[in-house]
Amino acid sequence: MRRNTIVVPCGNRYIGGQHPITIQSMTTTDTRDVKATIKQIQSLEVAGCDIVRVAVPNMEAAKVLGQIKSKISIPIVADIHFDYRLALESINQGVDGLRLNPGNIGNKDRVREVVKKAKEKDIKIRIGVNAGSLEKSLLEKYGRPTAEAMVESALTHVKILEDMEFSNIVISLKASDIHLTVDAYRLIASRVNYPLHLGITEAGTIWGGTIKSSIGIGALLLSGIGDTIRVSLTGDPVEEVKVGKEILKSLGIAKNEITIISCPTCGRCQINLINLAKEIEEKVKDIKKPIKLAIMGCAVNGPGEAKDADIGIAGGIDSALLFKKGKIIKKVSEKEIVKVLMEEIENM
């Protein structure tokens, strides 16, 4: 059972409650390079990104956010550190959310200015706590980064906003250590009712980071914790979105997607299953249908083991059996497998 939180608006998306879990990413371009940033965001949109975050390190970057927003379709969040004026200008430019920690942008008067403008525009603020940048006082209190220290840091920032009657809050508690991250999210989930943004920070390269993120984010989602996710990878941010989508599909959370199951192959397989699976995966990646598709190497783990699949193939000698819900429909030659399968999927 998914944890039921308050609902926070973010442009044309909603975070929390029972709204769909959104996938986020962050641009790697220099935000001041408007053309490059728009191009990257548009590629993220095509990949399935729901919300995008951009770095706002200076006023020049803040002042071009409106130009960027006018050319994209998904909500844009400004990543702000220390300078409240960047937050104010970002809101003026029409962003849909801020990522900032109110305790780090100056005195209460400055925070109040940001909160007032955020209220006027009904935008959300994500409080982001990272284990690697905890306050010195908390490190002295707890001796090291702990889940308790991370939660205390988050709640300190939350209280600043709550004292100003602001509740469009999303919280993230990220560490590069999976255990620490999971413990922190479970603890904060027991303390507040705000939506949670999940992620393993500095997870690593596309290969290693995918594994770490899948374990950490997956464990939390299986516990009913999490309302929006970002897979942090050292690589093309489009890969972050692909992994995020696959995590949600694997957990049965993404409903309008084709889910592929395929066997690892063995000595019984007499068709080129590896290449076949790759080709089919590429062809169906943009199809929005809630279909479970099986690509199996032989009759042993074909219609039987994959009988709950909506449609699938089981390899034979230079051929394959086409089946639906475990029932064999017909036999097709190996060179016709992809064509026949795609025709069947299109008609479903």
Side-chain angles (χ1 to χ4, degrees), residues 23 96 108 115 129 217 266 292 304 342:
I23 297 172
D96 302 292
K108 286 190 177 181
V115 168
V129 174
I217 294 172
C266 67
K292 181 179 283 188
M342 291 305 299

Side-chain angles (χ1 to χ4, degrees), residues 5 44 52 80 106 156 158 175 199 210 227 233 239 247 250 273 309 314 316-317 329:
T5 71
L44 288 168
V52 67
I80 308 293
T156 298
V158 167
T210 291
D227 304 283
L233 301 175
E239 296 300 321
I247 290 172
S250 297
L273 190 71
I317 300 175
I329 305 301

Side-chain angles (χ1 to χ4, degrees), residues 214-251:
S214 299
I215 294 170
I217 294 172
L220 289 163
L221 291 174
L222 282 171
S223 300
I225 296 171
D227 304 283
T228 184
I229 66 174
R230 190 248 171 134
V231 177
S232 299
L233 301 175
T234 306
D236 186 338
V238 166
E239 296 300 321
E240 298 183 348
V241 177
K242 289 180 179 178
V243 175
K245 287 176 65 176
E246 200 60 38
I247 290 172
L248 297 185
K249 284 201 297 183
S250 297
L251 296 174

Side-chain angles (χ1 to χ4, degrees), residues 38 52 64 83 105 110 118 136 157 161 175 194 233 241 248 254-256 265 272 280 299 305 309 319 330 336 347:
I38 290 171
V52 67
V64 300
D83 192 339
I105 60 170
R110 292 177 174 180
K136 184 179 179 181
H157 294 295
L161 296 180
Y194 294 113
L233 301 175
V241 177
L248 297 185
K255 301 298 184 182
N256 200 31
T265 83
N272 192 339
I280 294 171
E305 291 190 18
S319 63
K330 60 182 174 181
E336 293 290 314
N347 291 328

Side-chain angles (χ1 to χ4, degrees), residues 26-204:
M26 186 172 183
T27 56
T28 58
T29 57
D30 183 333
T31 306
R32 296 170 297 182
D33 187 338
V34 174
K35 186 176 180 180
T37 302
I38 290 171
K39 182 179 179 181
Q40 188 172 71
I41 293 174
Q42 288 174 341
S43 69
L44 288 168
E45 289 179 6
V46 171
C49 185
D50 296 302
I51 299 169
V52 67
R53 179 161 49 111
V54 297
V56 185
N58 51 47
M59 191 57 71
E60 187 181 350
K63 286 183 179 295
V64 300
L65 293 176
Q67 296 178 53
I68 295 169
K69 182 174 170 58
S70 69
K71 299 295 183 180
I72 65 175
S73 302
I74 58 176
I76 185 170
V77 175
D79 190 82
I80 308 293
H81 292 273
F82 309 121
D83 192 339
Y84 81 106
R85 293 169 299 181
L86 299 180
L88 293 174
E89 181 58 33
S90 296
I91 297 173
N92 287 337
Q93 291 289 324
V95 298
D96 302 292
L98 301 173
R99 188 281 192 191
L100 63 80
N101 291 344
N104 296 340
I105 60 170
N107 60 40
K108 286 190 177 181
D109 288 339
R110 292 177 174 180
V111 177
R112 192 171 284 107
E113 280 191 63
V114 174
V115 168
K116 179 182 178 182
K117 194 168 283 288
K119 280 183 179 179
E120 290 172 358
K121 300 297 184 181
D122 195 29
I123 69 172
K124 65 104 172 177
I125 293 177
R126 173 163 71 91
I127 292 170
V129 174
N130 282 359
S133 55
L134 283 172
E135 296 92 325
K136 184 179 179 181
S137 60
L138 290 175
L139 292 176
E140 290 174 351
K141 177 179 178 179
Y142 291 96
R144 59 186 174 82
T146 64
E148 292 77 12
M150 293 173 69
V151 169
E152 184 171 333
S153 175
L155 293 180
T156 298
H157 294 295
V158 167
K159 188 175 187 306
I160 294 172
L161 296 180
E162 288 181 334
D163 286 347
M164 297 179 182
E165 300 182 339
F166 186 86
S167 60
N168 277 356
I169 300 170
V170 177
I171 300 171
S172 66
L173 299 159
K174 299 183 182 181
S176 58
D177 179 85
I178 296 174
H179 296 282
L180 177 55
T181 302
V182 171
D183 288 346
Y185 276 110
R186 286 176 174 166
L187 182 57
I188 196 76
S190 70
R191 301 284 297 276
V192 298
N193 197 34
Y194 294 113
L196 299 178
H197 170 116
L198 304 186
I200 306 295
T201 194
E202 299 150 5

